[in-house]
Amino acid sequence: MVRRRVVVTGLVQGVFFRDTCRRTAVGHGVAGWVRNRADGGVEAVFEGPAERVEQLLAWVRHGPPAARVDRVEVAEEEPAGAVGFAVLPTR
């Protein structure tokens, strides 16, 4: 099990990034959350088997069709036993 926190910048709000991310994560069996940031970016945490988390990291590098991803920052974190995947309020 691994846990990664990502911050994605570019045209990532108003393009169904969060909902598509949630559906993609659930489809891959990855737990965590995603939310918009006040600075216009999107932040997410992915937790699960390393291969599946890597698949989500590959997905966020392009996002949904209407998105334009300029930058992805990835940080490793200790797994916390996350269950399910949620869309959280903007922070």
Side-chain angles (χ1 to χ4, degrees), residues 15-66:
V15 294
F16 295 99
F17 198 102
R18 291 175 302 158
D19 187 59
T20 307
C21 181
R22 180 192 57 78
R23 287 186 281 122
T24 303
V26 169
H28 283 82
V30 172
W33 52 263
V34 62
R35 68 178 164 210
N36 282 342
R37 292 168 44 118
D39 65 5
V42 169
E43 181 177 13
V45 167
F46 303 134
E47 185 171 326
E51 180 179 305
R52 293 180 185 179
V53 170
E54 288 300 322
Q55 290 170 339
L56 261 291
L57 293 175
W59 178 85
V60 299
R61 294 188 193 292
H62 60 80

Side-chain angles (χ1 to χ4, degrees), residues 55-79:
Q55 290 170 339
L56 261 291
L57 293 175
W59 178 85
V60 299
R61 294 188 193 292
H62 60 80
R68 186 197 75 241
V69 175
D70 294 336
R71 183 177 175 157
V72 177
E73 298 174 28
V74 180
E76 293 183 25
E77 296 185 348
E78 287 295 318

